[in-house]
Amino acid sequence: MARTTPHDPSPRPPLYRRVADQLLAELEAGTVPPGERLPGERRLAERYGVSRETVRQALEVLRRDGRLSTDRRGSHVALPGPPAGSPAPLVFPVGARSAEPRTGDRGTVVWAPPPPEHAAALGLVPGRPTLMHRFTSAAAGGDGRRTAVTSFSAVALAEVEELARYRDRADGVARAQLRRAYDWMRRAGLTLHHRDTITLQPDTASVRVVRRVHDQYARPLEITDLLVDTRRDALVYEFTLPAAG
């Protein structure tokens, strides 16, 4: 009587598929947060002990499944969820009351040398011009006036195509809210981290907020100076605390 060899109905998936599954499991576990850039193909090949071609095929699988997105600087995680350090309420510019323009809001852009403090924070040579955004906001009747001045870094203008386009039309007159500036930065593959410093202005009724935004490589992207007249207005910050337990 002839012996038969048991048939395996579930052949092992190809190596690139196994690498893709392993990488996906790490991404879903939060090893690389949403929006962050993955290591290069060489480093991934060393990590998994496979060839760069196998890694390339694995990444292509994840891209087709919508788990990764790719730009000119590599692949970054496209899993659901906000990028690390980039809470959803982060609105440009600091001090804007909502994500949509409102009556009393006015924004313009100009190509000019920024204030010395801005130049130093952005790593610009003193006197070198850059894209600057000027924002004013007032409630009905002119109460609650807010003014903000933002200066963008050379990195932001080089990496974010939408911002770079404003250079030739930065006349300081035409309206330009730039409400989607942070969205444009994220779409360019930048993970945003920000720090706000809040101080009372001596001998006035104003609060000054200085926001500094940098990317995942600690490169400065923009700095904003906001003044709020606290006699008729209040600047509100919202925080989400972790659940107890």
Side-chain angles (χ1 to χ4, degrees):
M1 183 175 180
R3 298 178 61 184
T4 60
T5 302
H7 175 66
D8 183 1
S10 305
R12 197 175 188 190
L15 182 57
Y16 72 86
R17 179 75 251 188
R18 282 177 275 153
V19 171
D21 291 343
Q22 187 173 348
L23 180 55
L24 178 59
E26 293 182 10
L27 299 182
E28 291 178 335
T31 303
V32 183
E36 288 283 4
R37 198 165 301 281
L38 290 179
E41 291 178 358
R42 177 179 297 177
R43 288 182 57 189
L44 289 174
E46 293 173 352
R47 177 191 298 179
Y48 298 116
V50 298
S51 68
R52 292 181 65 178
E53 178 59 29
T54 298
V55 168
R56 197 171 294 120
Q57 292 176 335
L59 295 178
E60 180 59 29
V61 169
L62 296 180
R63 275 192 290 269
R64 288 200 307 265
D65 291 345
R67 305 307 183 108
L68 294 178
S69 58
T70 302
D71 56 29
R72 62 185 179 279
R73 290 168 48 220
S75 298
H76 55 271
V77 184
L79 295 174
S86 301
L90 190 61
V91 174
F92 181 89
V94 57
R97 292 179 172 87
S98 69
E100 297 296 332
R102 50 175 283 167
T103 302
D105 288 1
R106 179 174 175 80
T108 60
V109 289
V110 62
W111 186 261
E117 182 180 351
H118 285 207
L122 300 177
L124 297 175
V125 175
R128 177 181 176 180
T130 191
L131 185 70
M132 296 177 59
H133 181 261
R134 294 169 178 167
F135 173 80
T136 60
S137 179
D143 293 340
R145 184 174 176 82
R146 304 179 180 195
T147 61
V149 176
T150 299
S151 302
F152 293 96
S153 70
V155 171
L157 297 179
E159 298 286 343
V160 184
E161 182 180 354
E162 292 87 349
L163 287 176
R165 291 175 184 164
Y166 276 91
R167 175 171 180 170
D168 295 332
R169 44 192 168 124
D171 58 6
V173 178
R175 288 181 177 270
Q177 294 290 349
L178 301 193
R179 294 280 181 159
R180 298 188 60 198
Y182 291 146
D183 291 333
W184 296 336
M185 291 178 182
R186 294 188 183 103
R187 192 162 60 191
L190 303 175
T191 301
L192 308 185
H193 304 266
H194 75 282
R195 183 181 66 207
D196 292 2
T197 303
I198 305 173
T199 56
L200 288 172
Q201 297 301 97
D203 303 321
T204 70
S206 297
V207 168
R208 182 189 183 201
V209 180
V210 177
R211 169 169 290 173
R212 293 175 173 85
V213 178
H214 64 274
D215 69 4
Q216 62 267 43
Y217 307 106
R219 300 179 302 177
L221 299 174
E222 62 105 332
I223 178 172
T224 298
D225 262 299
L226 167 72
L227 283 178
V228 178
D229 182 355
T230 57
R231 293 170 299 183
R232 299 178 179 177
D233 198 3
L235 186 64
V236 178
Y237 278 74
E238 296 182 1
F239 299 91
T240 300
L241 299 178

